[in-house]
Amino acid sequence: MGRFLAIAATLSILVALGWAAAVGPWAWWVIGALVAAVIVLAIYDLTQKKHAILRNYPVVGHLRFLLESLRPELQ
């Protein structure tokens, strides 16, 4: 599973870099803003004390809370 995630992350980074190179100089600012947002979210998840799930498993934790918020509409 870890190897698959590493390959998927590498491919998505390469696609984003290719898109930015093809679109133009403003696209690098978009990628930089997305990377900065992910870094800020990761720092918040590691330092918060309310949810152990977000601290230990941030991606799965955010997915869980997203699906919990969608549950009433799906029912």
Side-chain angles (χ1 to χ4, degrees):
M1 185 68 160
R3 182 179 291 170
F4 173 74
L5 291 176
I7 292 172
T10 304
L11 287 176
S12 60
I13 289 170
L14 289 175
V15 167
L17 291 176
W19 172 77
V23 171
W26 64 269
W28 294 105
W29 289 103
V30 173
I31 290 177
L34 291 174
V35 168
V38 168
I39 289 172
V40 168
L41 183 63
I43 291 171
Y44 171 75
D45 284 342
L46 293 174
T47 58
Q48 58 88 24
K49 302 290 185 198
K50 188 174 180 182
H51 298 287
I53 291 175
L54 288 178
R55 191 170 47 251
N56 295 329
Y57 308 104
V59 175
V60 176
H62 284 289
L63 183 62
R64 174 189 173 195
F65 292 129
L66 173 71
L67 292 176
E68 281 182 0
S69 68
L70 293 176
R71 183 175 59 176
E73 286 82 10
L74 294 176
Q75 287 180 346

